[in-house]
Amino acid sequence: MSKKINEIILANFILNEKFTRKIIPHFKTEYFSEEVDKLVFDEIDNFVNSFNTLPTKEALIISIENKPEIGVDISNRAISFISDIEEGYESPNFDWLVKTSEKFCKDAAVVNALMTSIKIIDGDDKEFSKDAIPGILSNALAVTFDSHIGLDCFEDAESWYDEYTKIEDRLPFDIEILNKITRNGLPGKSLTVFLGGTGTGKTNILCHFAASYARDGKNVLYITLELDEHKITERLNANLLSVNINDLIKLGKEAFMTRINKLKEKTLGKIIVKEYPMRSAHAGHFKALVEELKIKKNFKPDVILVDYLGICSSARYRDGSRGINTNTYFQSVAEELRGMSQFYNVPVITAIQTNRSGSTNSDIDMTDSADSFGVAMTADLFLGVVTNDDLANLNQLMLFVLKNRYNDLNYYKKFLVGVERAKMMLYDLESSVNEKDVMKVAEEINKELFPSSKKETNKHDFSGFKI
C-alpha cells in the first residue's frame, strides 16, 4: 500500500536528521488533520527541542505509553505507526521532500484559515472580527520555508556593504536635517511615526512628504481616515502648485487645469488619495487597495502614508474587545502597518496623537503617545512635533527624535524646520539663523508652559537643541 505524504513527513522526522533540522521549525501541530498524526508530531517536536537530537522509536513509544490521558485507541494507533516505520519511508530525493513538505504546510494553513473564517462569519469566534478574515487568509498563503539562514559577518561582508550603501534603496527626504538623522532617507520595510498634539501639523507634514515624493517621481498612496479625500487633495495641490489653499479656487478652472497639466508633464510620480471612515479600516483593507490599484491602474506605491494610526482599526482584534487594552490594540495596529511595509518593501509614514500632558509639553517624549507606548516600540523612526505661538510666528516647528533605528539617538536630538501652513510646505531653515535666537524661543516656550511657580520649571533641558 502506498504511503501518504503525512506519514512520509513524520517518518523522516525520525529517520532523516538533515530534513528534521531544516524543516521541523516551520511545522505546526495544526497542519496535521488526524489526531494520531498530531500526537506523533508533538512527541517528536518535544524530543527534538528538549534533547537537540532525533528521537528513537523506543523513546517515542515509552513517552506515549506514560500518558494515560491519551485515549487508548489513539495511543495504540500512534504506537503501531511508529513501530512500523522503516528505512523505506525515507525519500530518495531530499529537494523533492522539502518542496512537497512546504506544499503540505501551505495547503493545511489555507484549509485552517478557511475553517477559521467560516467560524468568524458564523459568529462562533469571539476573538476576531470579520475584518480579520483577509489578513488570516493572507498569512496562510504566505507560508513558506525560508531558505535564507542569515548573513556571515565575514564571508558576506562585501555583499552587506554593497547593500547597505545602495542609495537607491532609500527614499530621501527633501528636508536635509531628516536625511542627516536617517542616513539619507527611509528604507523599505520601515514604519515612521510623527507624534503631536491637535493642531501641531501632523497632516501638514504627511501632505508635504506625499507631494515631495511625487515631485521626485515616486508613486504615493495617501490613505486618510480623518479628512475627506477632497480636502487632502486640496492640501496636496496647494503644495504641488505652491499656492495658498484659499487661493486655489481663485485661480479659476482654466488657470488651475493649465498649472496641473504643466505639473503632470514635469512629474513622473502619481498620488492616489483614498478615504476610509474613521475606525473602519485596517492594514488588511489597505493591502487589498494596493492589489486593486495594481490591477486597475497599474499603480504600485513607492511609499504609503496613513493619516493617521490612532483612528485605524486592527485586523487582529475587535475594537473594544474584552480584555484588550488600548496599548495592546494600537501596538497591534502599528505592527500590522509595519507588516504591510515589509510585505510591499516600501516605507510607511503615519502619525499619532499625544495624550493630554503631551499636547502642552515642550519636551515631548514617547510616553506622551495618547493610545499606546507599544506604537513607539514598533516604529523605526519616532518623531515628536511641537508648536507654539512663538514658533508659529516664526513659521517653524520643533521636532524631537524620540526613537531612531538609523542613527545615534542623540545626533540632532532636537531641531527646527520651517513650515508654510497655507501651502502645506516644510523647508530647511537658513543656515544663517542664529542658534541663540532659537534657544531663546525654546526657553520662552518652556516658561510659558511651565511657570516658575511650578516645580517642573527646570526639568526640561534644551542643551541638545540644534538647527
Side-chain angles (χ1 to χ4, degrees):
M1 186 173 69
S2 61
K3 302 177 180 65
K4 298 178 181 178
I5 184 60
N6 56 307
E7 296 174 343
I8 293 174
I9 290 170
L10 289 171
N12 274 272
F13 281 149
I14 298 174
L15 301 172
N16 191 330
E17 183 170 2
K18 179 182 177 183
F19 172 77
T20 302
R21 293 195 181 280
K22 181 179 178 67
I23 300 305
I24 204 168
H26 299 286
F27 262 78
K28 297 179 181 179
T29 305
E30 60 260 31
Y31 290 165
F32 295 96
S33 58
E34 299 291 335
E35 290 301 318
V36 172
D37 293 345
K38 292 180 179 181
L39 172 61
V40 173
F41 173 76
D42 282 341
E43 292 300 323
I44 295 171
D45 191 43
N46 289 335
F47 192 96
V48 172
N49 288 330
S50 299
F51 304 106
N52 194 30
T53 187
L54 296 185
T56 62
K57 294 193 291 185
E58 291 75 14
L60 294 175
I61 291 172
I62 291 171
S63 179
I64 292 173
E65 289 176 339
N66 288 332
K67 292 184 175 179
E69 70 274 12
I70 301 172
V72 175
D73 178 59
I74 292 176
S75 177
N76 288 339
R77 286 165 58 195
I79 291 172
S80 175
F81 168 74
I82 294 169
S83 300
D84 290 342
I85 290 175
E86 55 190 24
E87 297 300 321
Y89 274 97
E90 214 168 0
S91 168
N93 188 298
F94 180 80
D95 292 336
W96 174 88
L97 182 58
V98 170
K99 185 176 181 180
T100 305
S101 299
E102 182 177 29
K103 183 178 184 302
F104 175 86
C105 288
K106 179 171 286 190
D107 290 346
V110 170
V111 170
N112 291 339
L114 290 171
M115 297 300 294
T116 301
S117 300
I118 291 171
K119 287 178 63 179
I120 293 172
I121 292 171
D122 291 341
D124 296 330
D125 192 302
K126 304 303 181 185
E127 181 180 359
F128 297 108
S129 68
K130 292 179 181 179
D131 289 338
I133 292 175
I136 292 171
L137 294 173
S138 178
N139 290 336
L141 291 169
V143 169
T144 184
F145 293 174
D146 186 0
S147 60
H148 178 65
I149 57 174
L151 284 173
D152 187 310
C153 286
F154 300 114
E155 297 299 326
D156 299 323
E158 185 176 355
S159 64
W160 171 87
Y161 185 86
D162 292 341
E163 181 69 24
Y164 195 71
T165 54
K166 278 199 299 189
I167 296 177
E168 62 268 21
D169 283 351
R170 285 183 176 258
L171 205 62
F173 295 97
D174 64 341
I175 305 297
E176 190 54 36
I177 184 65
L178 293 175
N179 286 329
K180 287 181 179 180
I181 67 171
T182 57
R183 294 181 177 173
N184 204 45
L186 301 176
K189 303 181 182 180
S190 66
L191 177 66
T192 298
V193 180
F194 287 91
L195 169 68
T198 302
T200 52
K202 299 185 296 296
T203 297
N204 189 332
I205 291 170
L206 296 180
C207 284
H208 170 82
F209 290 128
S212 70
Y213 288 135
R215 196 180 286 112
D216 195 37
K218 306 299 182 184
N219 284 337
V220 178
L221 175 59
Y222 193 113
I223 295 169
T224 173
L225 296 97
E226 184 178 37
L227 293 178
D228 180 276
E229 58 190 33
H230 294 92
K231 292 291 185 183
I232 294 297
T233 304
E234 178 185 42
R235 285 158 169 75
L236 293 171
N237 284 333
N239 182 297
L240 290 165
L241 299 177
S242 191
V243 174
N244 288 1
I245 290 178
N246 294 331
D247 292 335
L248 278 174
I249 58 173
K250 295 179 183 179
L251 290 174
K253 186 174 182 179
E254 185 177 348
F256 173 77
M257 291 307 301
T258 298
R259 291 197 182 194
I260 287 291
N261 290 329
K262 286 183 178 180
L263 187 65
K264 283 173 61 177
E265 293 174 1
K266 298 177 181 178
T267 305
L268 296 176
K270 293 182 179 180
I271 308 180
I272 300 292
V273 181
K274 171 63 178 174
E275 174 191 354
Y276 290 94
M278 188 180 295
R279 300 276 192 197
S280 71
H282 52 64
H285 296 100
F286 307 156
K287 289 170 71 174
L289 172 63
V290 172
E291 295 302 319
E292 191 172 3
L293 287 170
K294 188 188 302 181
I295 295 170
K296 294 182 177 179
K297 285 183 170 287
N298 194 28
F299 176 92
K300 180 181 178 182
D302 297 301
V303 59
I304 301 173
L305 299 101
V306 180
D307 192 1
Y308 59 92
L309 186 151
I311 49 178
C312 291
S313 62
S314 169
R316 197 177 308 167
Y317 302 109
R318 296 175 186 268
D319 197 358
S321 296
R322 183 182 300 176
I324 304 299
N325 56 36
T326 55
N327 182 71
T328 301
Y329 187 85
F330 286 103
Q331 181 171 351
S332 173
V333 174
E335 289 171 351
E336 290 162 16
L337 289 179
R338 194 172 188 279
M340 179 174 67
S341 78
Q342 293 174 300
F343 187 82
Y344 291 111
N345 191 23
V346 299
V348 171
I349 306 174
T350 186
I352 194 167
Q353 190 90 358
T354 58
N355 54 27
R356 185 176 298 176
S357 65
S359 63
T360 59
N361 194 341
S362 68
D363 204 4
I364 198 169
D365 61 35
M366 287 194 289
T367 60
D368 289 317
S369 174
D371 300 309
S372 171
F373 187 73
V375 173
M377 298 295 96
T378 305
D380 299 285
L381 182 64
F382 200 60
L383 298 171
V385 184
V386 171
T387 189
N388 173 267
D389 288 342
D390 293 320
L391 282 173
N393 290 334
L394 292 171
N395 296 320
Q396 294 172 356
L397 289 177
M398 185 190 300
L399 299 186
F400 292 77
V401 182
L402 306 176
K403 180 182 179 183
N404 188 356
R405 284 180 172 158
Y406 313 121
N407 212 329
D408 182 353
L409 185 61
N410 293 313
Y411 179 69
Y412 286 94
K413 179 76 173 179
K414 308 168 188 177
F415 54 89
L416 295 175
V417 295
V419 58
E420 195 169 353
R421 292 181 182 274
K423 296 181 180 179
M424 305 302 287
M425 285 184 173
L426 302 180
Y427 55 88
D428 282 306
L429 293 176
E430 296 289 340
S431 59
S432 60
V433 173
N434 191 318
E435 188 164 353
K436 290 183 179 179
D437 293 336
V438 175
M439 291 295 294
K440 184 177 179 181
V441 172
E443 289 169 4
E444 289 299 324
I445 294 173
N446 220 29
K447 288 178 181 177
E448 178 183 330
L449 299 179
F450 302 97
S452 57
S453 60
K454 295 185 179 181
K455 292 182 180 180
E456 293 91 346
T457 301
N458 299 319
K459 180 179 178 181
H460 300 277
D461 176 22
F462 287 92
S463 58
F465 196 84
K466 298 186 181 181
I467 58 171

